[in-house]
């Protein structure tokens, strides 16, 4: 049981380049989430998918798009990277989009945009 | 919008000393969760509190949810070097159940 996996672990982009961050979970969870973490700011929700086939914006969606490819996989795309998107990106999942369910986080992707 | 604030931002203690971090919300929370993130790692769920005035213990860690459900605390007794990391509280966003608002975290450093 790998839990939540993310690829790549590290990435350096130039301004204007695009890339997709991959996330997969093997816990049969219905809900998946993308967060970004900046120093001193905690975690902020970018997008989430309450269940397969649905996606919704979070707190900071601008500059990002997501795809819930199937129940296991939820990807985050940066179409035209900007230095302000330099951050650590965490994917998380939980059993269902319910109040009391626990979120399980992946190891993160450390992204630098030059 | 809802804000979740944590204090202090950073604390440096000697091993064996106690540590407390406080979490305050601008709105009443239905529940609050605590996470720990080791340096270079990812957040790991510690505990969830639901009831007003609830107190839960995990070995040396004591978690409390305020009577008004707007504040919470995490207290560590006799810190160890394994306690090093950043502790986050998180509560459901006031616009619905689906997303969590995370506090900015308290970074704990333990000097051996």
């Amino acid at each position: 049981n790998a839990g939540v996996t993310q690829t790549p672990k590290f990435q350096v982009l130039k301004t204007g380049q695009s890339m997709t961050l991959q996330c997969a979970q093997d816990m049969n969870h219905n809900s998946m989430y993308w967060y970004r973490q900046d120093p001193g700011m905690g975690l902020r929700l970018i997008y989430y998918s309450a269940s397969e086939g649905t996606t919704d914006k979070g707190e900071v969606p601008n500059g990002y798009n997501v795809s819930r490819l199937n129940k296991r996989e939820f990807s985050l795309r940066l179409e035209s990277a900007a230095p302000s998107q330099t951050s650590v990106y965490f994917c998380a999942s939980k059993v269902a989009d319910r109040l009391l369910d626990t979120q399980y986080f992946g190891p993160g992707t450390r992204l630098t945009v030059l | 919008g809802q804000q979740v604030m944590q204090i202090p931002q950073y604390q440096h203690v000697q091993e064996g000393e106690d540590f407390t971090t406080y979490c305050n919300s601008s709105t009443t929370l239905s529940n609050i969760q605590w996470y720990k993130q080791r340096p270079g790692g990812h957040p790991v769920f510690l505990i969830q509190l639901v009831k007003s005035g609830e107190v839960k213990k995990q070995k040396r860690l004591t978690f409390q949810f305020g009577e008004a459900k707007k504040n919470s605390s995490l207290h560590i007794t006799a810190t160890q070097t394994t306690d090093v990391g950043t502790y986050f509280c998180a509560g459901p966003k006031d616009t619905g159940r689906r997303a969590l608002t995370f506090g900015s975290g308290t970074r704990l450093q333990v000097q051996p």
Side-chain angles (χ1 to χ4, degrees), chain B residues 21-104:
Chain B
T21 173
Y22 299 91
C23 179
N24 295 289
S25 171
S26 58
T27 58
T28 301
L29 299 169
S30 55
N31 66 308
I32 194 158
Q33 300 180 4
W34 284 91
Y35 291 79
K36 176 184 177 182
Q37 184 177 24
R38 294 185 189 275
H42 59 278
V44 174
F45 175 80
L46 292 176
I47 207 160
Q48 177 163 244
L49 304 170
V50 179
K51 298 176 185 175
S52 169
E54 188 170 15
V55 177
K56 286 189 177 180
K57 292 191 176 186
Q58 286 180 351
K59 298 183 180 178
R60 295 178 295 102
L61 278 61
T62 302
F63 302 84
Q64 188 162 7
F65 202 9
E67 293 289 343
K69 301 183 78 173
K70 293 182 73 172
N71 61 288
S72 181
S73 64
L74 157 60
H75 179 81
I76 302 178
T77 304
T79 54
Q80 300 175 359
T81 54
T82 53
D83 296 324
V84 165
T86 301
Y87 293 85
F88 293 98
C89 62
K93 290 191 80 67
D94 53 3
T95 52
R97 300 179 169 183
R98 291 175 170 177
L100 290 175
T101 299
F102 279 80
S104 54

